[in-house]
Amino acid sequence: MSATRPRPSRIGDALAQVGACGLFLFQLIGAIPKSLRHIKETIRQVWFVGAMSLVIIMTCGLFVGMVLGLQLYDVLSRFGSAAMSGTVVALALYRELGPVVTALLFAGRAGTSITAEIGLMRATDQLAAMEMMAVDPLAYVATPRFLAGIVAMPLLVCVFNALAILGAHVVCVTWLGLDNGTFWSNMTTNVDVWTDVVNGVWKSAAFGAVVALIAVFQGYTTPPTSEGVAYATTRTVVFSSIAVLALDFVMTAFLT
Amino acid sequence: MSAANAPERTDALVQVRGLSTELNGKTIFDRLDLDVPRGKITAIMGPSGTGKTTLLRHITGQLMPDAGEIRVDGHNVPTLARGELFDLREKIGYLFQNSALLTDFTVFENVAFPLRQHLKLPEEILRNIVLTKLQAVGLRGAAELMPSELSGGMARRVALARAIVRDPMLILYDEPFVGLDPIALNQILKLIRTLNDTLGITSILVAHEFAAVGRAADHVYLIAGGKVAAQGTPAELARGESDWTRQFFGGEADGPVPFQYPARDYAADLGFPPSGRTERAR
């Protein structure tokens, strides 16, 4: 005879996950003072999630800039405004594309590796071993990765934007014949450091925090099995992508 | 430390009273009582799945019991705050069943990890301590290897070096002899005994190898059915005076410990007329 059990609700489960993730965020913030004792570990993680993501960020940035340059030059030429190509590319990158595309790439490259690494540490009792050595894994493992995400993302966005503008310059100036001085002078005149560049940096730091939080949470709470780690890694990419795009809308609404 | 957690010094370093635990609907411990005397090696034995590792997790506060008291050096572990628990764990060494080495670090850094985290030792002293412990487990030459380059037995010896690196008051060994060749097993047995005799360290040894346990342990608890089924010196238990000890140490399928997991009628499961026999847990 089986006892009657309430059927699990998908919406209920999802809300419970969001609530648990929120509580986990408070635990991470609470562990920051203790994690500063492991500052070397945080720096190592910035290197790991930041520098190790550079190749994919630079490559994608270059191609995104080249595509943007090609499309915008073509469209703006129809209105006699091809000279504004550099400006529009820069505005699109600084305000939206740079932070969003970098965050999505960051979730795929660094987020998944954070989840898989922490998940495997749980599955192989490494986190339990730290607990037994009186070392708090939240402060030693989770928080440094969370902080690394916040630090690394704005830096990666800067690199992404720089390479994208270089790509747009190659297409618009070198290939399509736009005047070099026009490309740069229009851009520097019309792009505002505070409203365009700095807002993009805020966004990228927020996206870094969200992606790193989801990645660390999924790894930390994964069932200690190979199947559990696989699902957690997938969830990191899916949830991070949705969260980044939703947060982008909210932040854009407030920052513009 | 709160008044409720004030340590009470007794002859037993670990005292378990009325421990009851249920995991996934299965009773693991049913008002279990046992004492681990200071400075002695106490072995915990029992059939697979009887809760030996769970008992170690209770003692170290990794798992909270449903009821009962677990006192370690006088502190009631289930009531300790996280900071107090960490203070207590600094005095405990734990050898995990699967070694649980940190895969990012070399053998040397794995053993040095507890020292680096808790003590500000000059690098030269730290290096000497780590190399001394690695020498004790026969792996000084493997100091620069990564855990992925070690065999299972070597990883276990590195984990043992890490467990003893701070000369703890209590060491918990969870299956320390699995995967060791006879030479390594003999050396590890000697090491466990030496640590105990020279430093007065208390040890709890969870193992299945009675021959090895008999050479190292001062006292043995046989746990089955959630309770202490038998206890005594290895020599007393080896005489097999109870059904439990006779079956366990004789390796017999029939006895108080069922070999078969609870199941429905075997004949019916194979599609034959029911024989009326079911496998049940006792």
Side-chain angles (χ1 to χ4, degrees):
Chain A
M1 191 182 73
S2 64
T4 316
R5 296 170 66 180
R7 282 187 65 185
S9 142
R10 283 194 162 198
I11 296 173
D13 284 352
L15 287 175
Q17 278 269 313
V18 172
C21 193
L23 290 174
F24 189 72
L25 173 64
F26 284 110
Q27 287 181 307
L28 284 180
I29 293 169
I32 286 175
K34 221 193 281 182
S35 80
L36 293 178
R37 277 192 288 172
H38 313 295
I39 193 71
K40 277 186 188 168
E41 181 60 17
T42 305
I43 294 167
R44 199 172 77 92
Q45 289 305 323
V46 172
W47 163 261
F48 184 69
V49 301
M52 304 298 271
S53 306
L54 268 178
V55 174
I56 187 172
I57 295 291
M58 289 169 77
T59 312
C60 292
L62 192 68
F63 284 118
V64 166
M66 288 169 82
V67 170
L68 268 181
L70 207 55
Q71 289 281 11
L72 287 169
Y73 187 89
D74 180 49
V75 172
L76 292 172
S77 299
R78 295 178 200 174
F79 303 100
S81 307
M84 296 302 285
S85 299
T87 308
V88 181
V89 166
L91 286 174
L93 283 168
Y94 286 130
R95 295 169 74 117
E96 286 299 329
L97 282 177
V100 171
V101 176
T102 307
L104 296 178
L105 293 169
F106 185 72
R109 165 62 183 81
T112 49
S113 80
I114 289 173
T115 302
E117 187 187 16
I118 298 179
L120 283 171
M121 287 177 87
R122 168 144 331 270
T124 54
D125 277 338
Q126 292 180 58
L127 298 182
M130 282 187 192
E131 286 258 0
M132 278 314 305
M133 289 184 274
V135 175
D136 186 357
L138 205 64
Y140 189 83
V141 175
T143 308
R145 283 161 177 78
F146 174 65
L147 294 176
I150 298 173
V151 173
M153 257 296 288
L155 301 173
L156 289 173
V157 169
C158 291
V159 173
F160 181 92
N161 287 344
L163 265 293
I165 287 169
L166 183 68
H169 182 271
V170 167
V171 168
C172 295
V173 177
T174 314
W175 185 14
L176 299 173
L178 182 69
D179 179 64
N180 186 41
T182 308
F183 183 89
W184 290 116
S185 66
N186 277 343
M187 192 189 294
T188 48
T189 308
N190 293 300
V191 174
D192 185 79
V193 172
W194 293 106
T195 55
D196 300 322
V197 180
V198 174
N199 280 353
V201 172
W202 283 125
K203 266 189 185 179
S204 57
F207 294 165
V210 165
V211 172
L213 170 67
I214 291 172
V216 170
F217 174 74
Q218 291 297 336
Y220 211 78
T221 56
T222 185
T225 61
S226 44
E227 192 186 25
V229 175
Y231 274 125
T233 311
T234 307
R235 279 198 299 270
T236 293
V237 177
V238 175
F239 293 168
S240 295
S241 304
I242 294 169
V244 163
L245 294 172
L247 184 64
D248 183 43
F249 171 73
V250 174
M251 288 192 78
T252 304
F254 278 101
L255 291 172
T256 49
Chain B
M1 194 87 43
S2 64
N5 294 330
E8 293 169 13
R9 191 174 169 87
T10 62
D11 286 342
L13 184 67
V14 179
Q15 277 185 316
V16 177
R17 292 288 177 271
L19 175 66
S20 296
T21 302
E22 199 178 294
L23 291 177
N24 302 321
K26 186 184 170 198
T27 301
I28 306 295
F29 299 121
D30 181 15
R31 284 162 291 165
L32 179 84
D33 295 335
L34 61 81
D35 286 340
V36 175
R38 286 176 193 274
K40 303 284 182 193
I41 299 174
T42 303
I44 309 287
M45 304 189 80
S48 298
T50 200
K52 302 180 293 294
T53 300
T54 306
L55 179 62
L56 298 189
R57 294 180 68 201
H58 279 315
I59 291 170
T60 52
Q62 296 177 68
L63 189 68
M64 290 298 126
D66 294 329
E69 207 173 73
I70 301 148
R71 289 198 172 271
V72 177
D73 199 25
H75 303 290
N76 188 11
V77 175
T79 64
L80 291 179
R82 193 167 168 78
E84 295 169 333
L85 191 59
F86 273 30
D87 288 344
L88 182 64
R89 283 178 182 169
E90 284 198 46
K91 294 183 262 180
I92 298 176
Y94 193 110
L95 178 69
F96 279 82
Q97 222 173 69
N98 61 357
S99 306
L101 297 179
L102 305 178
T103 47
D104 279 359
F105 294 160
T106 61
V107 164
F108 182 95
E109 285 303 325
N110 261 285
V111 180
F113 187 78
L115 299 174
R116 290 201 194 284
Q117 295 303 315
H118 298 293
L119 305 171
K120 298 274 178 248
L121 293 175
E123 193 60 30
E124 196 181 334
I125 293 175
L126 182 138
R127 185 174 175 275
N128 287 349
I129 294 172
V130 172
L131 291 181
T132 307
K133 301 301 179 187
L134 282 173
Q135 174 76 10
V137 297
L139 290 175
R140 184 169 49 84
E144 295 311 316
L145 295 183
M146 295 302 286
S148 57
E149 298 173 278
L150 304 175
S151 68
M154 287 166 80
R156 194 164 295 272
R157 285 149 70 189
V158 174
L160 178 56
R162 185 177 68 180
I164 62 175
V165 75
R166 294 192 64 194
D167 296 334
M169 68 171 179
L170 169 68
I171 306 186
L172 308 165
Y173 302 94
D174 194 357
E175 304 278 9
F177 308 125
V178 174
L180 296 184
D181 61 59
I183 302 166
L185 188 142
N186 201 35
Q187 295 310 310
I188 296 299
L189 268 176
K190 276 187 188 168
L191 181 66
I192 292 173
R193 195 67 251 181
T194 309
L195 282 167
N196 198 256
D197 294 341
T198 56
L199 299 174
I201 293 172
T202 306
S203 305
I204 300 178
L205 187 59
V206 164
H208 283 117
E209 301 83 352
F210 188 65
V213 167
R215 287 169 57 196
D218 298 303
H219 196 84
V220 180
Y221 283 100
L222 177 65
I223 295 178
K227 291 179 182 294
V228 174
Q231 62 166 305
T233 63
E236 286 167 355
L237 290 193
R239 284 199 286 273
E241 288 168 352
S242 74
D243 289 346
W244 293 99
T245 50
R246 238 189 324 274
Q247 186 199 4
F248 188 72
F249 298 118
E252 293 161 11
D254 291 325
V257 180
F259 173 64
Q260 293 287 348
Y261 194 78
R264 67 195 186 104
D265 186 89
Y266 186 29
D269 233 1
L270 296 176
F272 299 116
S275 67
R277 282 185 59 193
T278 53
E279 305 294 348
R280 63 184 178 80
R282 272 170 250 204

